[in-house]
Amino acid sequence: MFFEISLRHDFGSRQVALDLESNAVLTALVGASGAGKTTVLNAIAGLLRPDHGRIAVAGEVLFDSAHGIDLKPEKRRAGYVFQDARLFPHMKVAANLAYGEKLAPASERWIARDRVVDLLGIADLLGRYPANLSGGETRRVAIGRALLAAPRFLLLDEPMASLDAPRAERMRKLIEDIRDELGLPMLLVSHDAAEVDRLAGRVVSLD
Amino acid sequence: MLTEAEWAVVGLSLKVSLVAVLLTVPVAYGLAWVLARRRFPGLVVLDALVHLPLVVPPVVTGWLLLIAFGRNGPIGSWLESAFGITLVFSWTGAALAAAVMALPLMVRAMRLSIEAVDRRLVGAARSLGASRWRAFATITLPLSLPGIAAGAMLGFARSLGEFGATITFASNIAGETRTLPLAIYSGLQLPGAESQVARLAVISIILSLLALLLSEMLVRRSAGRQAHVL
């Protein structure tokens, strides 16, 4: 089972509840804005502790409130592509890309920096600060940074948003490659029905 | 220009303020971080305690220091027996008084700069494999550096002007604890020292202005045009 997620979280004004078991390499999470899709991703990455639940990815239990298991974010090794990119503003693009790469064990890296730079077309950006990037450029760097950290699974929060059509298509192709060649578990949040249709082996709705 | 004795006063003031600030920066930053990032039941009390020197009459702060760090005080007697350090009536005591008085201002500046660091960036660093400490050292600390610099400069300017707690705790001893404000005060007690008072006053205004301008410059340089100390 790639994703076994069962969680309940109460924000006071709204509740997020999800039960999901998926054996598809790429599972899509869909639902209206505010349904808690990002909350689910944060809980899986370890950035938010749900009130109750159990989270396991590819057989590894990351969180289990019943057994007091709560792995630290840095032990979970999620490749999280945030909706808002979150590049480090005081580091150039090259340093942003290297941040997670340096921390990952060399034996677990599965993609080379040159390949990432080439795939995402960010060679010209390496010497720039995030403040001097466009929205699409920022997003591409954020994706590259997550891939280079040698993640065990990917959490993609609308990764194609704000990419132009050709770039979005290259990204979809890359995601397909990761899915088919590496079999890396991926959870994709997307509003694009056609995209979800094409990429996801399983679609889960959150409401 | 200044006489030799007046230069000595300026030198002592700079020494006292510098030591006070160097002593306080790590403490103030730690407190600022706790106040900005942690949530616990005693937070309000800690916040109030940190700000106490800002609102309590300085002479009361000096008196409290005397009770704690005096020869017979719990900390003072321990310092003396364990290390042979006496703070009362010495320039180190003046530095301690200045440090305590500068602490709230420094904490405020640093706290604001820590709060301005987007916590989601820390989350991003953690998910990329950084431990809590590494995320702090590579994200929070460098991004709050302008606040550290600004806090240090503000604290320095505040230390230069420290009077009440210093004269209460460290007394007014020429060449030992008589910093600029104390020398100006002493000059005012003497007939015919008007020009000396004026020279020292001008010097303290210039030093304080320089400290403020320098902190403003540091902040702008590292944080861009939108950041301000003043």
Side-chain angles (χ1 to χ4, degrees):
Chain A
M1 205 61 85
F2 282 120
F3 290 100
E4 299 160 71
I5 298 158
S6 149
L7 63 88
R8 302 279 175 280
H9 192 70
D10 191 347
F11 283 105
S13 55
R14 63 193 177 91
Q15 284 79 38
V16 176
L18 175 71
D19 292 289
L20 142 76
E21 282 195 3
S22 174
N23 223 346
V25 179
L26 197 151
T27 303
L29 196 57
V30 300
S33 322
K37 300 187 293 291
T38 299
T39 300
V40 171
L41 295 193
N42 284 340
I44 298 171
L47 302 180
L48 176 140
R49 172 193 244 156
D51 296 334
H52 304 284
R54 181 173 182 279
I55 299 168
V57 179
E60 191 184 357
V61 178
L62 307 178
F63 178 81
D64 190 342
S65 56
H67 293 92
I69 297 171
D70 185 7
L71 257 61
K72 292 174 181 169
E74 64 267 30
K75 301 284 178 222
R76 300 192 185 198
R77 307 283 304 282
Y80 195 165
V81 177
F82 301 95
Q83 203 174 358
D84 52 359
R86 303 192 196 178
L87 297 184
F88 305 129
H90 57 306
M91 299 179 194
K92 289 180 178 169
V93 166
N96 265 283
L97 289 174
Y99 191 91
E101 190 185 20
K102 277 187 306 192
L103 298 171
S107 58
E108 291 184 27
R109 290 178 199 154
W110 46 264
I111 192 162
R113 193 186 310 193
D114 291 347
R115 170 117 196 271
V116 168
V117 167
D118 184 50
L119 263 171
L120 297 167
I122 52 179
D124 296 340
L125 312 178
L126 295 176
R128 291 210 227 151
Y129 281 100
N132 303 321
L133 301 178
S134 73
E137 289 168 344
T138 302
R139 166 133 328 223
R140 273 140 63 199
V141 175
I143 293 166
R145 185 179 67 174
L147 294 181
L148 284 170
R152 295 198 187 111
F153 57 96
L154 294 178
L155 303 171
L156 307 167
D157 202 350
E158 309 218 30
M160 265 67 82
S162 76
L163 291 186
D164 56 37
R167 297 251 188 242
E169 185 46 38
R170 284 178 73 181
M171 262 313 295
R172 287 188 201 103
K173 189 79 190 61
L174 173 66
I175 290 173
E176 278 179 329
D177 287 351
I178 294 170
R179 180 190 66 191
D180 300 336
E181 286 168 29
L182 295 162
L184 204 68
M186 285 181 274
L187 201 59
L188 169 75
V189 168
S190 174
H191 280 116
D192 183 333
E195 180 177 292
V196 166
D197 236 29
R198 171 177 154 188
L199 296 174
R202 169 91 195 279
V203 181
V204 176
S205 176
L206 189 69
D207 31 40
Chain B
M1 275 309 285
L2 299 185
T3 67
E4 208 170 306
E6 288 163 359
W7 275 119
V9 168
V10 173
L12 176 69
S13 275
L14 292 176
K15 179 170 82 171
V16 164
S17 300
L18 195 69
V19 168
V21 167
L22 290 179
L23 213 80
T24 317
V25 161
V27 179
Y29 191 79
L31 286 167
W33 186 86
V34 168
L35 291 174
R37 291 296 201 227
R38 297 269 117 188
R39 291 293 165 263
F40 53 92
L43 188 71
V44 185
V45 178
L46 181 68
D47 201 3
L49 275 177
V50 166
H51 282 87
L52 216 54
L54 207 59
V55 288
V56 158
V59 62
V60 173
T61 303
W63 174 71
L64 288 172
L65 286 175
L66 211 49
I67 289 176
F69 290 91
R71 283 226 159 92
N72 302 318
I75 308 176
S77 58
W78 174 72
L79 280 176
E80 188 158 340
S81 62
F83 305 102
I85 297 171
T86 312
L87 290 174
V88 279
F89 309 132
S90 79
W91 74 270
T92 46
L96 176 67
V100 169
M101 295 303 293
L103 184 75
L105 281 178
M106 294 172 73
V107 171
R108 284 172 79 87
M110 293 178 187
R111 178 183 181 172
L112 283 177
S113 74
I114 293 170
E115 281 170 348
V117 176
D118 192 340
R119 297 182 80 155
R120 292 172 308 171
L121 294 177
V122 177
R126 298 290 302 277
S127 84
L128 287 166
S131 64
R132 192 182 281 274
W133 272 107
R134 181 182 287 271
F136 168 77
T138 55
I139 309 297
T140 310
L141 187 63
L143 285 174
S144 60
L145 265 185
I148 297 180
M153 283 298 156
L154 271 179
F156 187 75
R158 177 65 187 79
S159 296
L160 278 176
E162 174 29 45
F163 179 80
T166 308
I167 203 168
T168 312
F169 176 57
S171 183
N172 184 1
I173 302 165
E176 186 66 37
T177 68
R178 187 171 292 169
T179 54
L180 270 167
L182 274 65
I184 292 170
Y185 172 76
S186 301
L188 286 170
Q189 313 296 306
L190 296 171
E194 288 85 1
S195 67
Q196 184 192 6
V197 166
R199 284 196 300 274
L200 291 175
V202 168
I203 287 284
S204 37
I205 292 169
I206 291 172
L207 285 175
S208 307
L209 259 181
L210 280 179
L212 274 181
L213 291 176
L214 196 62
S215 77
E216 181 80 5
M217 224 176 66
L218 280 171
V219 168
R220 287 199 184 199
R221 193 134 141 236
S222 48
R225 255 146 249 104
Q226 68 276 30
H228 290 284
V229 188
L230 302 175

